[in-house]
Amino acid sequence: MAFFTRPQSANAAIKIVRPSSGDDDQLRPSRKDSVQRQCRNIMIYGSCKFENKGCAYYHPPAPDAVSIAPRAESPSKGLSQSVNAPVFIPKVPAHIKTASTPPPSIATPPPPEPQYHHDNQQQQQQPEEYGEYPYPPVGDEEMEMHDINSNNFYADTPYDGYDPSTANPYFASATPFLRQPLNYHLYSSVIPSAFVNSITDTQFVPPSSELRTLLQSRGEDLHIAPAPGLNLPEELQGYHSLIPLENTNGASERRKFGNWTSTVYRAVNSIDGTVYCLRRIENYRLPHQAAFTAIETWAKLQHSGIISIHEAFTTHAFGDSSLVVAYAYHPKAQTLFDAHLKSAYGTRGAGGFQPIPERTLWSYIVQLAGTIKRVHDAGHVVRMIDVSKVLVTSKNRVRISSCGIFDVLLYDTPQDTHLLQQDDLTMFGRLLFALCTGNVMASSGGNFQKSLEVMGRLYSPEIKAVALFLVNKGGPHKSIGQLLEMISSKVAAEMGDALDAADTMENELMGELENARLVRLLCKFNFINERPEFAREPRWSETGDRYIVKLFRDYVFHQVDESGNPSVNLSHVLACLSKLDSGTDERIMLVSRDEQSCLVVSYKDIKACIESSFSELARAGSSTTAASGYR
């Protein structure tokens, strides 16, 4: 037991007494009075976990250690830890909770006021003092708890089951663990996969194969160049590249807008570069500039069922005085007439009419009813509920266009808002009759009874009841709110379909989220590899970090099968790039092309090599701004 004997120095033992008013440094022994060799754990790590477990070397107390009251159940051990613990300087200010009052049998000095240091240089040097960890080594129990919780990126609390009353007094002044934001490299499904697989075709979102084709066709439509020989103005109040969206060969082909002739164009705004839809009213002279106040009012009314208004102006660029109203442009949009009724009129009557599914028809009714209610609640009138003015912008998604134009055209005409809102309901009923029968004149005179028979044969009685409620004169108190009460169950079903569509679109977006980051990685690869001219060193890309990057490029893209044929495996490429972007600790073996060199490295090391090499190129490049854009 001679190995564990107490030191022979007179000052090696520490007498525990209540400190006097003098400097408490007198209570601590100095190193020069000790005859023992100082423990190397103190010199390297700052503390020794075997200090009270038999370590025979000298453990000097920290000069600025904060004295913390020991635990009641272990007085001697707690006091030893508080005296000999290394200096702990938190990075951010924290409120210190002192430990419970010690037993009266132990005299402990009152804890001094904690001193917080914010010197950046000292914070930067602190990780070097303790190796890889920014804080001093901790006990086995604390380290085990940290290892369990450090990889939990989704924990809502600092530690599961953490109780401050049972914490080690050594960590009384430590900064609590803050939950880090979600790491962008963690792939997770937004909604359960079973739910996604069950929804193959929602009410508003087409299948994945059709959705990609639809989005690509919309992007192509936005960049179509105008055909030559259209005889249209090259510039129109800041708009250019005009393309007609309707047939303009003859006056009979152009659609009427009340008593005026109207034409629709697609044009690009020179100021913001956005594509807009321009509706032109021919041969119209604006009576008062104040008529445009209606356009300003409609521009402030934003709703998902209304094509938003951008601006309105008059022009003589077409050779006459025309009114032009700019609306938001929805690529590949169709009117209800073109989507559902045009085929019937192209086959001699209603013989070629394909009945609209009742679920789709209810969707149209709910969407249009909600839009009309929003307009009526704002004190306006729609007056555009027609098969040629309601657009189908995506799958079963309808919006009302050309709003606000009648307010400008009939600015001088006295108007009763309540009566016009009743007319909106009547127009809504006529639209419903037309969609159910395939005839735009279904609700007129002699066609009314026949239309009711067709509706009763093709659709449920609820559809027929809604149509009759809208076209009949129910008195001055009939409102769109009463219609919504009648179809409340259909509104709930529509809400469920809309939520399913949102989940499906979010899941589709999740699959495309990582593309931009992978492209940036590929750009860095191409910047680093095969650059023999850099720094006048022909083998710059063959040495140091660049050599590892080159070998990893071969590992990702130049794989071969057992027969020596090229292996084109996109899954392997995406998996490797994703692991590289996250910097995982997984190790891979990189082999040179001549099979004379073999390196075992982790994705974390490869990522560091890429960042180092790219940073070197960015600093040496002539355009620092262009290089930093790829980081």
Side-chain angles (χ1 to χ4, degrees):
M1 299 297 293
F3 184 78
F4 298 99
T5 56
R6 298 168 60 95
Q8 301 299 325
S9 175
N11 296 327
I14 302 175
K15 185 178 181 181
I16 303 177
V17 295
R18 183 176 299 276
S20 61
S21 59
D23 189 6
D24 60 352
D25 290 341
Q26 299 176 0
L27 299 178
R28 302 188 181 98
S30 59
R31 181 184 175 186
K32 62 182 181 179
D33 297 332
S34 177
V35 297
Q36 286 185 308
R37 180 182 298 178
Q38 185 175 352
C39 182
R40 289 189 178 182
N41 291 332
I42 298 294
M43 301 173 61
I44 298 176
Y45 303 108
S47 65
C48 177
K49 63 180 181 180
F50 300 102
E51 178 180 353
N52 297 316
K53 298 180 180 180
C55 182
Y57 295 98
Y58 175 65
H59 302 86
D64 298 327
V66 179
S67 300
I68 300 177
R71 294 183 182 179
E73 63 274 13
S74 180
S76 59
K77 181 178 180 180
L79 183 61
S80 174
Q81 289 183 352
S82 63
V83 172
N84 297 322
V87 181
F88 178 75
I89 303 175
K91 291 186 176 181
V92 295
H95 298 286
I96 296 180
K97 295 182 179 181
T98 58
S100 58
T101 305
S105 59
I106 301 178
T108 58
E113 292 295 329
Q115 298 179 0
Y116 300 117
H117 302 276
H118 299 278
D119 185 72
N120 295 331
Q121 183 177 3
Q122 185 175 3
Q123 292 182 5
Q124 294 176 359
Q125 295 177 356
Q126 190 173 356
E128 299 179 359
E129 182 179 356
Y130 302 114
E132 293 183 358
Y133 305 99
Y135 301 108
V138 297
D140 296 337
E141 297 179 358
E142 290 81 0
M143 181 60 72
E144 182 180 0
M145 180 176 62
H146 175 73
D147 292 338
I148 293 176
N149 293 276
S150 59
N151 295 325
N152 185 8
F153 300 96
Y154 306 98
D156 293 330
T157 57
Y159 297 111
D160 295 336
Y162 174 75
D163 186 6
S165 61
T166 61
N168 194 322
Y170 178 80
F171 297 97
S173 60
T175 304
F177 175 76
L178 301 178
R179 189 172 78 92
Q180 300 297 325
L182 178 65
N183 287 323
Y184 55 83
H185 63 274
L186 295 178
Y187 293 89
S188 58
S189 178
V190 179
I191 51 181
S193 57
F195 179 74
V196 177
N197 296 333
S198 63
I199 305 179
T200 56
D201 188 6
T202 64
Q203 178 69 11
F204 300 105
V205 181
S208 299
S209 57
E210 298 180 10
L211 178 61
R212 183 177 294 274
T213 304
L214 175 62
L215 296 179
Q216 290 176 349
S217 62
R218 289 179 181 177
E220 182 181 359
D221 183 77
L222 290 174
H223 297 89
I224 293 179
L230 294 177
N231 297 325
L232 295 175
E234 294 183 359
E235 197 275 338
L236 181 66
Q237 293 286 340
Y239 294 89
H240 63 87
S241 304
L242 273 69
I243 299 177
L245 300 179
E246 298 175 344
N247 191 357
T248 58
N249 293 332
S252 59
E253 297 293 335
R254 289 179 290 180
R255 296 180 178 178
K256 293 292 184 179
F257 201 92
N259 297 327
W260 294 270
T261 303
S262 172
T263 311
V264 182
Y265 302 93
R266 193 216 74 172
V268 180
N269 192 305
S270 302
I271 299 177
D272 56 10
T274 306
V275 180
Y276 290 94
C277 176
L278 305 182
R279 180 171 287 277
R280 170 197 171 202
I281 306 298
E282 302 178 10
N283 299 318
Y284 172 78
R285 186 176 298 275
L286 186 69
H288 303 285
Q289 189 68 23
F292 281 150
T293 56
I295 298 296
E296 298 176 358
T297 303
W298 275 97
K300 298 177 181 178
L301 183 60
Q302 299 292 328
H303 189 266
S304 58
I306 300 176
I307 305 294
S308 59
I309 300 178
H310 181 63
E311 63 176 346
F313 55 88
T314 57
T315 181
H316 295 275
F318 295 95
D320 64 347
S321 179
S322 301
L323 171 67
V324 179
V325 182
Y327 293 90
Y329 179 65
H330 293 264
K332 295 297 181 179
Q334 288 183 305
T335 63
L336 285 176
F337 179 84
D338 294 335
H340 300 291
L341 306 181
K342 189 175 181 178
S343 60
Y345 281 84
T347 55
R348 297 181 181 180
F353 171 68
Q354 297 294 331
I356 304 174
E358 183 169 344
R359 182 67 193 89
T360 302
L361 196 61
W362 276 117
S363 180
Y364 290 167
I365 294 173
V366 172
Q367 293 179 61
L368 293 176
T371 304
I372 295 173
K373 187 176 189 308
R374 176 67 179 87
V375 175
H376 287 186
D377 291 344
H380 303 299
V381 185
V382 182
R383 293 196 285 197
M384 288 291 105
I385 310 175
D386 185 76
V387 290
S388 63
K389 303 301 184 297
V390 179
L391 301 182
V392 182
T393 57
S394 59
K395 182 182 178 182
N396 301 335
R397 187 71 174 84
V398 292
R399 291 179 170 90
I400 302 177
S401 67
S402 305
C403 295
I405 294 183
F406 267 124
D407 295 337
V408 178
L409 299 178
L410 304 177
Y411 177 74
D412 293 333
T413 303
Q415 303 176 12
D416 188 343
T417 302
H418 180 70
L419 293 179
L420 293 177
Q421 290 180 353
Q422 296 292 320
D423 291 341
D424 282 347
L425 301 181
T426 304
M427 295 178 66
F428 190 11
R430 294 173 182 171
L431 172 68
L432 186 55
F433 267 92
L435 294 177
C436 292
T437 61
N439 185 6
V440 294
M441 304 298 295
S443 60
S444 61
N447 298 328
F448 186 74
Q449 291 298 329
K450 183 178 180 180
S451 299
L452 288 178
E453 295 177 1
V454 173
M455 293 178 62
R457 185 171 65 252
L458 295 179
Y459 298 101
S460 62
E462 290 81 0
I463 293 283
K464 183 178 179 180
V466 170
L468 291 175
F469 171 80
L470 292 173
V471 297
N472 291 337
K473 295 182 179 180
H477 300 290
K478 185 176 70 171
S479 64
I480 191 65
Q482 296 176 358
L483 174 63
L484 290 174
E485 292 179 0
M486 292 175 56
I487 61 174
S488 59
S489 60
K490 304 300 180 182
V491 174
E494 188 76 4
M495 173 63 73
D497 291 336
L499 295 177
D500 290 344
D503 291 340
T504 305
M505 293 297 292
E506 190 173 0
N507 185 72
E508 294 290 338
L509 177 63
M510 195 68 183
E512 307 295 331
L513 182 63
E514 308 299 327
N515 292 346
R517 293 182 14 255
L518 297 184
V519 169
R520 284 194 292 269
L521 273 177
L522 294 176
C523 291
K524 290 183 179 181
F525 272 130
N526 290 307
F527 275 123
I528 296 171
N529 290 322
E530 312 299 339
R531 297 188 70 98
E533 78 286 354
F534 181 72
R536 299 181 181 178
E537 174 58 45
R539 294 181 56 82
W540 180 81
S541 61
E542 305 288 337
T543 59
D545 296 341
R546 284 81 60 188
Y547 184 65
I548 296 179
V549 176
K550 179 181 178 180
L551 295 183
F552 181 74
R553 190 267 311 269
D554 294 341
Y555 174 81
V556 175
F557 298 101
H558 297 165
Q559 292 278 350
V560 295
D561 56 14
E562 59 275 4
S563 301
N565 300 320
S567 176
V568 184
N569 189 350
L570 185 60
S571 299
H572 169 73
V573 174
L574 295 179
C576 293
L577 293 180
S578 300
K579 294 176 182 178
L580 174 65
D581 190 47
S582 61
T584 63
D585 293 328
E586 179 181 346
R587 295 181 178 273
I588 58 176
M589 184 174 63
L590 304 179
V591 182
S592 62
R593 296 182 179 181
D594 56 4
E595 298 183 356
Q596 298 299 318
S597 301
C598 179
L599 300 176
V600 178
V601 294
S602 64
Y603 284 98
K604 182 178 181 181
D605 299 331
I606 300 174
K607 182 179 181 180
C609 293
I610 293 177
E611 295 296 335
S612 175
S613 302
F614 183 76
S615 299
E616 184 178 354
L617 286 175
R619 288 192 301 268
S622 58
S623 177
T624 305
T625 304
S628 61
Y630 292 94
R631 296 185 179 181

